Amino acid sequence: MVSFRTSMACAAIIIATATFAVAAEPVHVMVSNDDGIDAPGLEAIVAILAADPAYRVTVVAPKHQQSVSGHGLVTRTEIEVVEHAPVAGCRAWSVDGTPATVARIGLTALLVDDLPDLIVSGINRGENDGLGAWTSGTVAVAREGALAGIPAVAVSLQLDWSDPKPDFAAASRWAKPVIDAVRIEGLPTGVYLNVNLPLAPTAAGGYRVTRMGLDPSEEARYVLAKVDSDGTRWYSSRWKPPLETEPGGDSHAMNGGWVTVTPLGLDLTADEAFPLLEQFRLVPPVAAESAVSE
């Protein structure tokens, strides 16, 4: 668990680092998302980055809404790629695929001769904290960056579903210092950041560096919606956020009004399981020919 003192110190570094002068050459950043290329959250983050001469922005984003698509890749069909109208004045490409597919096409095809130095995904309409990082297309884009060895940041805004116009402009202002810090300091190999902004970003208390929350959702299942006369069953999804969240996790801090900065990694190895696995009595199977001879 990250202590309050350590968390606040890291947050101070994020804000302070972002104030330093940038190198002469602008950093090339690829911006993507999972809400689609016409999403207002994407435009907001592109606009604030493009206004800073430290950045040169290219947008490569899904043609359609692709939320909760996880890290799925399109591999068995051809994929449509179209140059889109500029987004906030920046060159943009529309890709008819999942977010991870879009990111990979950007890195291995569209921008292969002009690779980005940094990847930013979002701003997503809805939080991607805790276990939601597993199914988030927004986070998958950042993970693709880490897989390619490129620093990457996923940014999401906690959602009030009754609010038709989330404050993405305020969210982008809070997200930019984190992006600036990554631009200047970089990230460890195999690490990417998952940033979640609270419901009212204008009233955020500051930054908190947190671990990924593992709080179980109140509801995460599929329910029977209807049954056709031929017996075909139709199911629809149900999901509700955790009722209780553990201190130290991103969900708890975000719900408390903090902007959370959570480092995620590519290595899924459960080190804590090694002592148990070393006690397993694993006996190689008897070879088939030996079994027959006996």
Side-chain angles (χ1 to χ4, degrees):
M1 181 181 297
V2 178
S3 70
F4 175 78
R5 180 177 296 177
T6 301
S7 178
M8 294 307 293
C10 291
I13 291 172
I14 288 174
I15 298 171
T17 302
T19 64
F20 287 110
V22 301
E25 287 293 324
V27 167
H28 184 199
V29 55
M30 183 179 83
V31 178
S32 191
N33 68 350
D34 74 2
D35 286 337
I37 196 164
D38 295 317
L42 177 78
E43 183 175 14
I45 197 67
V46 170
I48 200 168
L49 293 177
D52 186 339
Y55 295 99
R56 175 170 62 89
V57 180
T58 303
V59 176
V60 183
K63 179 179 181 180
H64 303 296
Q65 166 67 256
Q66 293 280 346
S67 291
V68 200
S69 55
H71 209 101
L73 292 170
V74 179
T75 60
R76 294 180 176 84
T77 184
E78 293 181 345
I79 301 164
E80 175 193 88
V81 177
V82 177
E83 185 158 10
H84 190 273
V87 174
C90 297
R91 191 177 190 186
W93 296 90
S94 165
V95 181
D96 192 5
T98 62
T101 304
V102 172
R104 192 165 293 191
I105 285 179
L107 296 175
T108 64
L110 294 174
L111 305 181
V112 68
D113 296 322
D114 184 21
L115 284 174
D117 306 294
L118 175 65
I119 293 174
V120 174
S121 181
I123 299 173
N124 189 66
R125 186 175 182 269
E127 62 271 28
N128 282 306
D129 58 311
L131 295 175
W134 279 98
T135 55
S136 166
T138 304
V139 175
V141 169
R143 192 181 300 116
E144 275 292 314
L147 285 167
I150 300 173
V153 181
V155 184
S156 304
L157 173 61
Q158 188 178 24
L159 188 62
D160 175 357
W161 292 98
S162 65
D163 183 1
K165 293 184 178 181
D167 194 347
F168 288 116
S172 67
R173 291 193 293 271
W174 277 95
K176 189 171 182 294
V178 182
I179 298 168
D180 288 342
V182 173
R183 167 176 57 82
I184 296 169
E185 299 295 338
L187 288 172
T189 301
V191 173
Y192 53 103
L193 298 185
N194 185 26
V195 178
N196 282 280
L197 299 120
L199 196 60
T202 54
Y207 298 90
R208 282 281 177 89
V209 176
T210 66
R211 61 172 175 78
M212 175 182 175
L214 300 179
D215 314 292
S217 303
E218 179 188 354
E219 183 177 26
R221 64 193 179 101
Y222 287 85
V223 298
L224 184 64
K226 64 178 181 178
V227 180
D228 289 347
S229 58
D230 63 359
T232 301
R233 298 187 177 195
W234 298 83
Y235 287 80
S236 60
S237 64
R238 295 286 186 274
W239 180 85
K240 294 180 182 178
L243 284 175
E244 297 182 2
T245 55
E246 184 180 349
D250 54 359
S251 302
H252 188 83
M254 179 190 67
N255 290 333
W258 298 89
V259 177
T260 63
V261 182
T262 305
L264 301 179
L266 298 179
D267 186 355
L268 300 180
T269 305
D271 292 326
E272 64 273 19
F274 278 108
L276 172 62
L277 298 184
E278 288 169 355
Q279 298 179 44
F280 281 14
R281 296 182 178 180
L282 302 176
V283 180
V286 177
E289 57 272 18
S290 299
V292 171
S293 64
E294 293 176 0

